Amino acid sequence: MNRSSCRWLTLIFCILWHVVYASVGSWFEIDDEDAALSVPDLISKYGYQMESHEVTTEDGYGLTLFRIPPQQPMTSSPKLPVLMLHGVLGSAADFITLGPNNSLAYLLADSGYDVWLMNARGTIYSRKHSRLPLDSKKYWDFSWHEIGYYDLPAIIDYILGVTSCEMLHCVGFSQGTTTHFVLTSTRPEYNDKIALMVAFAPTAFVRQIRSPIARLVMPMSEWIASFFNSQNVYGWPASSRIHRMLRELLCPQSYPENICSELTALLVGPHPEAYDERAMTVHNGHTPAGGSFHQDIHYVQIARSGRFQQYDFGWEENVRRYGSREPPEYQLELSTAPIALFYGLNDWLVHPRNVEDLAKVLPRVVAVRPVADEKFNHLDFILGKNVRGLVYDQVIEMIRRYDKS
């Protein structure tokens, strides 16, 4: 075979490769441009009404909530509002990434629910403070404890005030469940304001982490944070145009088995059948949404200790703050709001045994449901191809039942 023939064969091969992979498209009704749109623009793009609301916490942090009003006329039996709590380094985008007919926020709005999407302190949509400048170390001096103790009560009280309701439903993913447990165990009066909590990948006990990436990074987490602190960097930056360009360069959609998909599988658990490259591209356009390094360190601490406990500042500071050398455990027996636990059998960050242990401690568990797909992983709760049929439809029916009760 001569050199010219080789060049033609190579060209034909490249064209076929592009046709096979680049034209696969997406399982969902979403576009590549969704990665670059803000959450309000994304909601509006798909034809949903959207409102922005500002809330100030007891300790001065300014938070932005996004509201998607019900897409159906109000019925004679009013529905309670639904508050959605995002994961670590996530934002309101966690619940709308999959687009219409698939994202839980849209499905709830289509079912007549008043949907509220939180953005915790430190995320790109909630970077305000009444006194502290954004670039100060003091601003970033928080973990998910403060999100649960300060952000959630301010948000819940605001929503109930606007809607004139006495209760609401909550749906939390990963860190969203952790902050719920913080709130309901440290401020138990808020249990009476939650009609039902739906917990995806409930994260309180993290004793058996299967992810090799997490296990590799955990011992270095404090050192990494200290290094960045020495450079006057105290939190995670939000995703930017440069981040999206680098991601597309290193992990093109035309090659599904790229390094990004491989690293994701090593972090949350492999599940190639449920993986959608465009959905992941859109998700990565909104993640990280920002956050404090203390959030990650706090998770590392509870993984090491095997206890669901408050932040460990070291013996001396613990004695000053808590009155003991060890940080106190959260009293989960005080978390009395009805809760439904959904977990993945292939979740490499939250082991099924940890969820089962959690269910034994919580006093009012109304459901403990492993997802039927045995390969369902941590991230599938917000990105999996099959998440609507396996999880979301059940959740909407469950919320409907608790509306009536």
Side-chain angles (χ1 to χ4, degrees):
M1 184 179 292
N2 59 39
R3 186 173 299 177
S4 177
S5 298
C6 286
R7 284 200 298 268
W8 276 106
L9 284 173
T10 302
L11 178 60
I12 293 170
F13 175 80
C14 291
I15 293 173
L16 288 174
W17 178 273
H18 178 80
V19 169
V20 170
Y21 286 104
S23 63
V24 168
S26 173
W27 182 270
F28 307 106
E29 301 172 30
I30 55 178
D31 302 316
D32 288 343
E33 70 168 3
D34 294 358
L37 296 177
S38 68
V39 166
D41 288 342
L42 199 53
I43 294 171
S44 299
K45 170 185 173 177
Y46 288 108
Y48 289 83
Q49 298 177 2
M50 200 284 304
E51 300 172 6
S52 290
H53 293 255
E54 302 298 321
V55 178
T56 301
T57 67
E58 181 184 331
D59 58 344
Y61 284 79
L63 312 176
T64 299
L65 306 178
F66 298 132
R67 181 188 192 183
I68 306 177
Q71 302 300 297
Q72 298 177 354
M74 293 298 291
T75 62
S76 56
S77 56
K79 295 181 169 73
L80 297 177
V82 180
L83 170 61
M84 310 195 77
L85 316 175
H86 61 76
V88 67
L89 298 184
S91 69
D94 282 2
F95 298 103
I96 62 169
T97 299
L98 301 184
N101 300 315
N102 287 289
S103 291
L104 184 54
Y106 295 143
L107 294 172
L108 285 165
D110 292 339
S111 299
Y113 285 95
D114 186 4
V115 179
W116 295 75
L117 305 169
M118 80 168 291
N119 294 286
R121 62 181 65 194
T123 62
I124 190 171
Y125 301 107
S126 295
R127 292 190 167 182
K128 298 176 183 177
H129 197 280
S130 57
R131 303 178 306 279
L132 302 174
L134 183 61
D135 59 356
S136 68
K137 183 178 182 180
K138 188 66 176 174
Y139 174 90
W140 296 98
D141 188 17
F142 63 85
S143 77
W144 38 258
H145 173 85
E146 284 72 21
I147 296 173
Y149 191 82
Y150 293 113
D151 292 12
L152 288 193
I155 290 169
I156 289 173
D157 288 341
Y158 179 85
I159 294 172
L160 297 184
V162 170
T163 61
S164 299
C165 292
E166 295 182 357
M167 304 178 78
L168 49 66
H169 301 294
C170 290
V171 177
F173 164 62
S174 193
Q175 180 190 259
T177 70
T178 313
T179 55
H180 165 82
F181 297 134
V182 172
L183 169 67
T184 52
S185 62
T186 59
R187 295 191 167 189
E189 65 273 17
Y190 278 87
N191 285 287
D192 295 333
K193 300 182 181 184
I194 300 172
L196 176 67
M197 170 65 182
V198 177
F200 298 153
T203 310
F205 301 135
V206 284
R207 299 187 182 103
Q208 292 99 6
I209 294 177
R210 290 179 282 180
S211 165
I213 292 180
R215 293 168 69 91
L216 175 67
V217 173
M218 281 171 55
M220 302 183 290
S221 58
E222 286 96 340
W223 180 87
I224 294 171
S226 297
F227 170 78
F228 280 109
N229 287 348
S230 69
Q231 308 300 311
N232 297 321
V233 177
Y234 309 109
W236 292 96
S239 180
S240 64
R241 182 184 176 191
I242 294 176
H243 170 266
R244 292 190 296 272
M245 290 174 61
L246 287 174
R247 197 267 178 199
E248 183 57 31
L249 179 65
L250 298 174
C251 307
Q253 285 192 53
S254 55
Y255 181 51
E257 296 180 358
N258 56 59
I259 189 172
C260 293
S261 62
E262 296 298 321
L263 290 175
T264 299
L266 288 173
L267 178 64
V268 300
H271 192 190
E273 297 87 352
Y275 185 84
D276 184 274
E277 183 63 32
R278 183 170 293 167
M280 182 59 70
T281 297
V282 174
H283 173 74
N284 287 341
H286 295 271
T287 306
S292 170
F293 295 143
H294 292 297
Q295 293 167 251
D296 305 279
I297 292 173
H298 201 168
Y299 276 123
V300 171
Q301 290 177 354
I302 64 173
R304 286 176 179 166
S305 69
R307 304 163 71 238
F308 184 48
Q309 63 185 26
Q310 295 193 36
Y311 197 90
D312 190 345
F313 294 94
W315 284 4
E316 184 176 340
E317 184 64 13
N318 286 345
V319 170
R320 190 183 73 81
R321 290 177 181 247
Y322 307 131
S324 62
R325 287 186 172 186
E326 297 292 328
E329 289 189 72
Y330 293 103
Q331 296 178 276
L332 288 172
E333 65 273 11
L334 299 179
S335 183
T336 57
I339 186 167
L341 306 174
F342 288 80
Y343 64 96
L345 296 173
N346 192 39
D347 188 334
W348 283 13
L349 294 176
V350 180
H351 197 283
R353 285 202 297 270
N354 296 162
V355 181
E356 293 165 2
D357 292 340
L358 176 63
K360 296 173 183 176
V361 178
L362 295 171
R364 202 172 174 193
V365 177
V366 299
V368 183
R369 297 190 180 179
V371 180
D373 183 350
E374 293 185 356
K375 295 184 179 179
F376 204 86
N377 65 32
H378 194 81
L379 207 55
D380 285 338
F381 279 106
I382 58 172
L383 289 181
K385 286 181 179 179
N386 51 0
V387 64
R388 176 178 178 177
L390 290 174
V391 180
Y392 293 169
D393 290 342
Q394 295 180 48
V395 168
I396 294 172
E397 180 57 34
M398 190 176 290
I399 288 175
R400 187 177 293 120
R401 291 201 306 271
Y402 275 80
D403 260 337
K404 295 177 182 178
S405 63

